[in-house]
Amino acid sequence: MDYSAKMLRDDALKGKVIVVTGGGSGLGKAMTKYFMELGADVAITSRDLEKLKNTAAELETETGGSCLAVQCDVRHYDQVEAMLAEVLKTFGKVDVLLNNAAGNFISPTERLSANAFDTVIDIVLKGSKNCTLAFGKHWIDSKQKTATILNIVTTYAFTGSAYVVPSATAKAGVLAMTKSLAVEWAKYGIRSNAIAPGPFPTKGAWDRLLPGDLAEKFDMSKKVPLKRVGDHQELANLAAYLISDFSAYINGEVVVIDGGEWLQGAGQFNLLEQIPPEMWDMLESMIKAKKNK
């Protein structure tokens, strides 16, 4: 099966204007490319304007679409407002906000400085809040009929996770915001949903999180029941669907796309998968022997 195949028809996002935070590389870039292939105009934002401009030029060449690079540090509300103003000046409107910008550290929590903890909280939670609030106010004040917020969270937003405590804390907050606004802002025609991805390796992020040979030692595919990691196009397919009009009745939902990884870790007896078939035969024989006594 070709997991990199594209799902929606070519004009599925035609006429939509989408803002992708953290859109200059990795999964943000992959989603942006597919949105443009489906006919959308996309603005990508991050702190690194040079990288954004290179990505925008590359994607415009590859897709024939329009991509606007806007420098913005989502931690600062005034910069978010300025970014929104620039998008509106260029495209005249905005239909979708995709909160994708993130930061993370893999570390024992006691080794983190207060500043390191704050950095992740500020990018993930405060940044998502800043963008959501600025865009939401604009949509409500301008009486736009429909709009969509899509947040990228993670499966440990449900459960928490050791060694990524700032990220878990921030993503849990974004998840709560997603569900809360799905109810509160629905009356304004604003849908709010989220995606919780499992392992989708990106060179930049994974090199920082698992440097050297750690990535090999902690082979994420071994934790996934499907025995593979995700292809970027699979995530882009899901994101495109959730921001398209085809998903107009989906609101307040968090879609997990992880090959079953989260459920495998949650099930109390899932470790029994490590028992080989011949041992199951032996156990079954022992149980039958006891019954026959």
Side-chain angles (χ1 to χ4, degrees), residues 1 9-10 52 64-65 73 78 103 128 136 143 175 191 201 204 222 235-236 238 259 265 272 277:
M1 183 174 178
R9 66 190 188 206
D10 291 345
L52 286 174
D73 186 338
D78 59 339
S128 296
K143 294 182 170 55
L175 180 59
R191 293 190 297 125
K222 292 176 181 175
L235 181 63
L238 177 59
L272 294 179

Side-chain angles (χ1 to χ4, degrees), residues 36-67:
M36 293 171 67
E37 289 173 339
L38 294 173
D41 294 323
V42 185
I44 54 175
T45 78
S46 74
R47 287 171 290 172
D48 189 339
L49 184 57
E50 186 178 352
K51 180 189 283 187
L52 286 174
K53 286 182 174 179
N54 290 337
T55 297
E58 177 189 333
L59 295 182
E60 286 187 339
T61 299
E62 290 179 357
T63 68
S66 297
C67 187

Side-chain angles (χ1 to χ4, degrees), residues 153-166:
V153 292
T154 178
T155 52
Y156 56 70
F158 309 137
T159 59
S161 177
Y163 303 104
V164 285
V165 172

